[in-house]
Amino acid sequence: MEKMLVFGHKNPDTDTICSAIAFSELKKAAGIEVEPVRLGELNSETAFVLEKAGIEAPRLVKTVANEVKTVCLVDHNEAQQSVDDLKDVTIHSVVDHHRIANFETADPLYYRAEPVGCTATILTKMFHEADAPISKLAARLMVSAIVSDTLLFKSPTSTAEDENAARELAAIAGLDLEVYGMELLRAGADVSTKTVAELLLDAKEFEMGSAKVEIAQINVVDENDVISRLEEVTPVITKTVADKGLDLYLFVVTNILTNDSVGIAYGEKTAAVEEAYGVTLIDHKAPLVGVVSRKKQVVPVLTEIFTN
Amino acid sequence: MEKMLVFGHKNPDTDTICSAIAFSELKKAAGIEVEPVRLGELNSETAFVLEKAGIEAPRLVKTVANEVKTVCLVDHNEAQQSVDDLKDVTIHSVVDHHRIANFETADPLYYRAEPVGCTATILTKMFHEADAPISKLAARLMVSAIVSDTLLFKSPTSTAEDENAARELAAIAGLDLEVYGMELLRAGADVSTKTVAELLLDAKEFEMGSAKVEIAQINVVDENDVISRLEEVTPVITKTVADKGLDLYLFVVTNILTNDSVGIAYGEKTAAVEEAYGVTLIDHKAPLVGVVSRKKQVVPVLTEIFTN
């Protein structure tokens, strides 16, 4: 079998990067030649994880068809979140924990999705099913992904399986889960040194009915660290809305200590946010009480509104 | 958790029926309430399998949202092959071995697909992963599905995993794989008592680019048993083309002894069949040498042509 590239979504987060590396380890154990790559710049949380693990970031690619015929996707499936030339390659396998949408293949493939908090939780199970040993490095990367995606099990997306996998992986990696976990989350939530582009880095595009929606999210320890910078942030958001012809851009600023968010909405269809959460946007902002999960508390609610 | 219904595709075949029953056994072992149902009449092969197993056919349903909120799909994922009101229910899980297309969810779900010859092969693995015992009945049904989908391992869709699973299941069920397998295939390939509607029963609809395509297939031991009846069959095909606005209807008559087929094509775009196989349709017919698998040797080839 020819070499395959493995990658997660654009605007990579910790799960996307760490699961690409761990999935590659699993495939290599089965004698399959794979290379993990990334589709964008690392965020500060992921940079912290890789630095602590003592490894370099996977190679950055913009296209894949120029190097390989076949790819594996982790942590995403929607075409608009993937590499630009995805349609020019064959998808060998997908490991993911999101809804399935805007995804189509000509041939049968491996597809493994489970409604758990993190791709790395599914990968942990796949290592066990394949009877493949989990290296200390892979364990460290996978537990980092789980902590990141579940906000240390505080997110409503977190399941008992995520927590069990994380505890097992932390033991293999020799990490104190709570201490390392909070250190990791704080590394991601420190926005003081972030540029405006970095504040909006974790943005994903969705097609909901006929609406084009982009949802960005950032974790903070104090939402005012971001709100105080809206004068710089807003022009970037409105430019994105205009450039991409978006119907809605929602920026979710999530406080990892209180587990609440503030939503900042632009575009023609911001009324969908008001309807979704029973709130009134004042100066494009509204509190989203108890909302921490884009996947579970934002995407399905907005999809429902835009498709009905 | 509320009760869920489990079903395979419209125009059910042996894998669709048997995998729905076996998947239900697996879920019941985990304490989940499920009922296997079917979306259409049994073909003669499946009727043979259930009769030999001494069980009734699953209940026939036309819609599901009137009974349940949540469903599980086996052996298919494309909406046009599924229950008519699929959009009104939530899909809890999918176990399948086909390409993914025209499939979209609002929420994360369980999705397990592998590029093997039969859904039951994946289910066998899932029983093992869950450490759930396989009953003699489930083993009999699953081995029947594998024999049917792989034409006793002769189809190019058949993999080593299918054959290994079938041998293990035959042992559990106490069946002589080769003897029972040929008996089963012959039960399906006996077309002498079939009505025209039954000859065309195993039909699936596909969207390929902007083309609407329907592909029916039947197994025979002598293709002339069907070709001699084309005078009755043709009007039914042309009516289907007109009623559904199809661009192409391809009827694949597969000889399970020689492992060749005859293709019978109607609609505006029959040229796609000529292009796909380098043949000339004479009186709407052409030999398709070595073609036995709709999934592997028909759908991808035509999809390629219609999307380029």
Side-chain angles (χ1 to χ4, degrees):
Chain A
M1 184 168 217
E2 280 180 57
K3 176 180 155 178
M4 301 189 287
L5 295 181
V6 182
F7 47 88
H9 52 77
K10 282 178 175 163
N11 307 325
D13 60 11
T14 300
D15 187 24
T16 260
I17 295 290
C18 293
S19 285
I21 300 171
F23 181 83
S24 299
E25 179 171 309
L26 179 62
K27 288 290 132 185
K28 280 177 197 158
I32 298 170
E33 195 192 348
V34 286
E35 182 193 352
V37 293
R38 65 187 158 97
L39 305 182
E41 295 308 321
L42 296 189
N43 66 36
S44 57
E45 183 192 272
T46 313
F48 167 88
V49 169
L50 298 189
E51 195 197 323
K52 287 276 177 182
I55 60 168
E56 295 290 318
R59 182 165 61 90
L60 178 69
V61 301
K62 291 291 174 201
T63 57
V64 291
N66 51 313
E67 321 188 23
V68 293
K69 292 202 185 88
T70 314
V71 301
C72 303
L73 311 186
V74 294
D75 196 30
H76 75 298
N77 67 84
E78 304 192 36
Q80 75 282 2
Q81 297 169 5
S82 198
V83 74
D84 289 336
D85 63 346
L86 185 68
K87 64 177 186 332
D88 300 327
V89 291
T90 299
I91 302 170
H92 176 274
S93 46
V94 178
V95 183
D96 191 20
H97 65 127
H98 296 89
R99 71 166 188 174
I100 299 178
N102 197 12
F103 180 84
E104 182 156 327
T105 64
D107 291 286
L109 74 164
Y110 289 93
Y111 201 110
R112 179 74 175 255
E114 300 193 11
V116 292
C118 181
T119 308
T121 302
I122 307 167
L123 285 173
T124 305
K125 209 188 253 189
M126 290 171 70
F127 270 93
H128 292 319
E129 287 166 7
D131 230 348
I134 300 175
S135 73
K136 209 166 164 172
L137 173 63
R140 173 185 267 276
L141 297 176
M142 290 197 284
V143 71
S144 302
I146 298 173
V147 166
S148 168
D149 266 14
T150 66
L151 293 180
L152 208 35
F153 322 122
K154 294 274 175 41
S155 167
T157 58
S158 187
T159 67
E161 283 193 68
D162 295 297
E163 191 159 348
N164 291 339
R167 295 204 181 280
E168 180 200 340
L169 295 165
I172 297 172
L175 289 167
D176 181 310
L177 184 54
E178 274 69 27
V179 172
Y180 174 70
M182 273 317 294
E183 208 184 352
L184 178 159
L185 290 178
R186 282 185 178 272
D190 176 11
V191 296
S192 61
T193 61
K194 285 196 162 118
T195 65
V196 171
E198 285 168 339
L199 294 179
L200 296 171
L201 197 63
D202 178 14
K204 290 186 185 178
E205 235 183 284
F206 299 90
E207 289 174 14
M208 299 179 179
S210 59
K212 266 182 90 174
V213 178
E214 186 157 326
I215 305 171
Q217 185 172 27
I218 192 161
N219 291 344
V220 294
V221 288
D222 181 349
E223 47 273 38
N224 290 317
D225 294 347
V226 171
I227 289 169
S228 63
R229 294 174 65 187
L230 282 186
E231 216 167 297
E232 313 162 67
V233 172
T234 303
V236 179
I237 292 179
T238 52
K239 184 170 187 312
T240 306
V241 169
D243 289 353
K244 295 189 176 175
L246 299 174
D247 296 288
L248 172 65
Y249 189 115
L250 177 61
F251 181 27
V252 181
V253 181
T254 300
N255 187 316
I256 60 166
L257 302 179
T258 64
N259 296 312
D260 294 317
S261 294
V262 173
I264 296 155
Y266 281 85
E268 290 283 315
K269 300 200 173 157
T270 54
V273 175
E274 299 187 318
E275 188 186 341
Y277 302 101
V279 294
T280 304
L281 289 162
I282 297 174
D283 206 11
H284 294 270
K285 284 193 304 291
L288 307 178
V289 176
V291 172
V292 300
S293 166
R294 173 167 49 194
K295 187 171 75 166
K296 203 140 183 167
Q297 297 172 297
V298 183
V299 174
V301 196
L302 289 176
T303 301
E304 175 80 20
I305 287 169
F306 281 119
T307 51
N308 281 345
Chain B
M1 185 167 217
E2 280 179 58
K3 177 180 154 178
M4 300 189 289
L5 295 181
V6 182
F7 47 88
H9 52 76
K10 282 178 177 163
N11 306 325
D13 60 11
T14 300
D15 186 24
T16 261
I17 296 289
C18 293
S19 284
I21 300 172
F23 181 82
S24 300
E25 179 171 308
L26 179 62
K27 288 292 131 184
K28 281 177 195 157
I32 298 170
E33 196 191 348
V34 286
E35 182 192 353
V37 292
R38 66 187 157 97
L39 305 182
E41 296 308 322
L42 296 188
N43 66 34
S44 57
E45 183 192 274
T46 313
F48 167 88
V49 169
L50 298 189
E51 195 197 323
K52 287 276 179 182
I55 61 166
E56 296 290 319
R59 183 164 60 89
L60 178 69
V61 300
K62 290 293 173 199
T63 57
V64 290
N66 51 312
E67 323 188 21
V68 293
K69 293 202 185 87
T70 314
V71 301
C72 302
L73 310 186
V74 294
D75 195 29
H76 76 298
N77 67 83
E78 303 193 36
Q80 74 283 3
Q81 297 169 4
S82 197
V83 73
D84 288 336
D85 62 346
L86 186 67
K87 66 179 185 329
D88 300 327
V89 292
T90 299
I91 302 170
H92 177 273
S93 46
V94 178
V95 183
D96 192 20
H97 65 127
H98 296 89
R99 71 166 187 171
I100 300 179
N102 197 12
F103 180 83
E104 182 155 329
T105 65
D107 292 287
L109 74 164
Y110 289 93
Y111 201 109
R112 180 75 176 255
E114 300 192 10
V116 292
C118 182
T119 308
T121 302
I122 307 167
L123 284 174
T124 304
K125 209 187 255 190
M126 290 171 71
F127 270 94
H128 292 319
E129 288 166 6
D131 229 347
I134 300 175
S135 73
K136 209 167 164 172
L137 173 63
R140 174 185 267 274
L141 297 176
M142 289 196 286
V143 71
S144 302
I146 297 172
V147 167
S148 168
D149 266 15
T150 66
L151 294 180
L152 242 182
F153 323 123
K154 294 274 175 40
S155 168
T157 59
S158 189
T159 67
E161 284 195 67
D162 295 298
E163 191 158 348
N164 291 340
R167 297 206 179 277
E168 180 199 341
L169 294 165
I172 297 172
L175 289 167
D176 181 311
L177 185 55
E178 273 70 26
V179 172
Y180 174 70
M182 273 317 292
E183 207 185 351
L184 178 160
L185 291 178
R186 283 186 178 272
D190 176 10
V191 296
S192 61
T193 62
K194 285 196 163 117
T195 64
V196 171
E198 285 168 339
L199 294 179
L200 297 170
L201 195 63
D202 179 13
K204 290 186 185 177
E205 236 183 283
F206 299 89
E207 289 174 15
M208 299 178 178
S210 60
K212 266 182 88 175
V213 178
E214 187 157 325
I215 306 171
Q217 185 172 28
I218 193 161
N219 292 343
V220 295
V221 289
D222 181 349
E223 48 274 38
N224 290 317
D225 293 346
V226 170
I227 290 168
S228 63
R229 294 173 65 186
L230 281 186
E231 216 168 295
E232 311 162 67
V233 171
T234 302
V236 178
I237 292 180
T238 52
K239 183 170 186 315
T240 305
V241 169
D243 290 351
K244 294 189 176 174
L246 298 174
D247 296 288
L248 172 64
Y249 190 116
L250 177 62
F251 182 27
V252 180
V253 181
T254 301
N255 187 317
I256 60 166
L257 303 179
T258 64
N259 296 313
D260 293 319
S261 295
V262 174
I264 297 154
Y266 281 87
E268 289 283 317
K269 302 202 171 154
T270 54
V273 175
E274 299 186 319
E275 187 185 341
Y277 301 101
V279 294
T280 304
L281 289 162
I282 297 173
D283 206 12
H284 295 270
K285 284 193 304 290
L288 308 178
V289 176
V291 172
V292 300
S293 167
R294 172 168 50 195
K295 187 171 76 168
K296 202 138 182 170
Q297 297 172 297
V298 183
V299 174
V301 197
L302 289 176
T303 300
E304 177 80 20
I305 288 170
F306 281 119
T307 52
N308 282 347

